[in-house]
Amino acid sequence: MRDPFVFDSRSEFCKKPFGAVPCGSDVVFHVRPLTRDGYSRCVLVARREFSGEEIQMELLPEAVDGERTRFTGVLTAPSEPELLWYHFRLIRSDGSTALLDQSGWQETGEIQSWQLTVYEKTATPLWFGGGVVYQIFPDRFCRLSLPDPTGLVGNRWVHENWNDQPVWAPDPDGEVRNRDFFGGSLNGITAKLDDLAALGVTVLYLNPIFESASNHRYNTADYLHIDPMLGTEEDFRRLCREAKERGIRVILDGVFNHTGSQSRYFNADGFYPGAGAAQSTDSPYFNWFSFHPWPTDYDAWWGIMTLPAVQENEPDYRDFIIRGQDSVVRHWLRAGASGWRLDVADELPDSFLDQLTEAAKEEKPDAVVLGEVWEDATTKESYGSRRRYLLGRQLDSVMNYPFRNAVLGFFTGADAAQIAEGILSVLENYPPQVVRMLMNHIGTHDTERAVTVLAGEPSQGRGREWQSAQTLSSGQRERGVRLMMAASAMQYTLPGVPCVYYGDEAGMEGYKDPFNRGCYPWGRENQELLAWYRRLGEIREEHPVFKEGSFRLLKAKGSLLAYVREDPEGKSPSVLCAFCSGKNPETLDLPLEFQNGTVLLGGSLKDRILTLQGESCCLIRAARDLSAFAAGEERDMKIYVPNVPKA
């Protein structure tokens, strides 16, 4: 683009308000082409994603200084949730035209439009934002006694040694069936609630807890029963009660796209007494599945035959999961859960998600419904259609994989400008009530452990045999802990809610499944890292800007990234967050309000300068709030917006 001030969708000089807008609201656009280019007219062209309608609106010229003409117009957003894709057509007095889009000026070529998300205003649970989520893989968190797997669904066995490596090798049939258990339980989680509260945890997200043949329990066998190795429904109710006494809520993992082949619904091996779909076409569950032909060939999740896919549009299935008065969704909310995280949300139909959210909030008005979405959830496409997860009345928020990519990418060598672009893109595209609830994780049960990504040798597609033999050297581990401190500080200070994968705070390492699912190292935690995470939890609790504050990017260049979380009304002190990903120190000229500020973590201040050591971070609380500036003082409001080419 010839002139950075021609149009910048993130600048209030060009578009106001910033980012996504509610249905029916007004959006002001300003375009400022150079007068010498001879443009006399400017037309905003917008296409509606869902209706297909094209909107054209002429912006009116107005003189703003002696050399420039600004074209200005007010667009009223559609009254229904929508995605608008817009660009500008500039017209000269001789009738010739040029397009202005994200690629800059062009006479011809494929249009690269800007995105405007138009959402319906819907209430989201206030209790979720501002806290700390802790994700637990239940079999591997805390064992109080060695369980007996006799008589349970699946050919299970239990490791006597809590510190064993999870089994990764295929069985004699060539399948990895995940039948090795360690015996973590719900009562084990309850026993550790004080430790979790000391970490600042306000929400527990539990991977599946329902009866299942595998240790990961994503192949559900019975949606209405807790897996006996984890405990009973009363154990679950007790966990929820005692967690609530400590200000902690519990959300469950809902796996509603598929069941297990050994479930009571499919019952391939006849474990359950009633007829499953694999045993009889007269089974009450037969229509839940798609056979071609019955019984050995059927739709399965990603072709994995132990995970038969359900037909979510089947009325009986919807009644069972959602619509019945004692549906699965309602039952567990009544039992004490505060919400649901939905597995593979992109494989659940929109109408299914709509009805599930409606039922959950009817049962418990402040229930939260979150989705597993790995990409930008405002532009996600699946099965040939654009999804509308975040446009209102569907998902409250999503797991924030784009932020994970940004955080780990920055500390593994990506340029700060590129990382800032990823962060700003999410903030621009997502509705604000969604942003405050984003699950900001740097690792889950589906990804490599963060410390391994940061300090270990990249796996580069190498198999489980290689991965199983890898541990960090002492030098790698020392560096990994240092980088985890900086990465977790970014995770805790970006807009949204940090989601800690159990054991990250203890320094657990491991490549992909199952090595990222080891047992929590009770008594062997990295105490330095654990203390760091506790301090991060205290900082979030003590500073309201991390719950509702705005995001102001200060600098993003090379190995230096700095931003400010602030209260626009100046009622709470701002916090500056600065990060150095390189091995050499970096310095940052501090804005006025942070000179003589309070260092909360890391770094050193001298006069106007912050010095960051290599691979480190610093959090600084402002010395004065915004309302305290004396007359004549100028606050440094410079905002650095990286000019990164779009992919």
Side-chain angles (χ1 to χ4, degrees), residues 29-43:
F29 289 96
H30 299 298
V31 179
R32 296 164 61 107
L34 296 175
T35 302
R36 64 173 178 267
D37 285 332
Y39 295 110
S40 58
R41 296 173 57 203
C42 180
V43 177

Side-chain angles (χ1 to χ4, degrees), residues 380-452:
K380 172 71 177 180
E381 290 188 38
S382 62
Y383 298 95
S385 64
R386 188 84 69 179
R387 304 306 298 268
R388 50 182 179 83
Y389 303 122
L390 306 182
L391 299 185
R393 299 182 182 272
Q394 196 169 104
L395 300 178
D396 290 313
S397 195
V398 291
M399 299 180 73
N400 196 358
Y401 279 91
F403 271 17
R404 173 187 185 268
N405 298 339
V407 173
L408 297 184
F410 177 61
F411 288 104
T412 53
D415 189 273
Q418 178 184 350
I419 299 309
E421 171 62 27
I423 294 170
L424 291 171
S425 177
V426 169
L427 300 183
E428 183 175 19
N429 293 342
Y430 285 38
Q433 73 272 15
V434 172
V435 170
R436 68 181 298 276
M437 296 181 60
L438 285 171
M439 287 179 69
N440 292 342
H441 61 85
I442 56 174
T444 73
H445 62 289
D446 286 325
T447 66
E448 296 171 331
R449 286 277 178 178
V451 71
T452 298

Side-chain angles (χ1 to χ4, degrees), residues 8-10 18 376 400 402-411 413-429 490 494-495 551-564 577 579 581 639-646:
D8 180 348
S9 65
R10 296 170 184 158
F18 169 82
D376 183 323
N400 196 358
F403 271 17
R404 173 187 185 268
N405 298 339
V407 173
L408 297 184
F410 177 61
F411 288 104
D415 189 273
Q418 178 184 350
I419 299 309
E421 171 62 27
I423 294 170
L424 291 171
S425 177
V426 169
L427 300 183
E428 183 175 19
N429 293 342
M490 186 179 293
L494 285 170
F551 177 93
R552 178 161 58 102
L553 187 62
L554 286 181
K555 189 167 185 179
K557 186 176 182 180
S559 60
L560 178 62
L561 178 66
Y563 52 81
V564 174
C577 311
F579 306 87
S581 63
I639 300 176
Y640 175 82
V641 179
N643 182 20
V644 178
K646 302 295 187 296

Side-chain angles (χ1 to χ4, degrees), residues 235-300:
D235 292 332
F236 175 73
R237 290 175 180 267
R238 174 173 169 253
L239 169 61
C240 293
R241 287 195 305 269
E242 296 201 16
K244 188 174 181 180
E245 292 172 2
R246 294 164 174 80
I248 300 173
R249 305 233 193 175
V250 178
I251 62 174
L252 296 177
D253 210 330
V255 187
F256 302 136
N257 167 262
H258 51 270
T259 70
S261 60
Q262 293 178 282
S263 67
R264 67 168 60 251
Y265 319 109
F266 202 81
N267 209 15
D269 62 355
F271 175 84
Y272 291 95
Q279 296 169 307
S280 173
T281 57
D282 293 327
S283 167
Y285 311 115
F286 178 75
N287 290 335
W288 290 15
F289 306 94
S290 178
F291 293 93
H292 39 81
W294 178 85
T296 56
D297 192 7
Y298 48 87
D299 290 344

Side-chain angles (χ1 to χ4, degrees), residues 47 70 79 104 134 175 206-207 372 391 414 513 533 539 553:
R47 178 180 60 83
R70 180 173 72 178
S79 58
Y134 192 84
E175 297 287 342
L206 306 183
N207 287 119
E372 178 195 16
L391 299 185
D513 166 24
Y533 270 84
I539 290 171
L553 187 62

Side-chain angles (χ1 to χ4, degrees), residues 616-647:
S616 72
C617 67
C618 183
L619 306 184
I620 307 171
R621 182 174 60 229
R624 295 167 289 179
D625 63 44
L626 304 187
S627 62
F629 282 85
E633 280 188 305
E634 290 187 8
R635 178 167 172 257
D636 183 357
M637 285 295 294
K638 182 179 180 182
I639 300 176
Y640 175 82
V641 179
N643 182 20
V644 178
K646 302 295 187 296

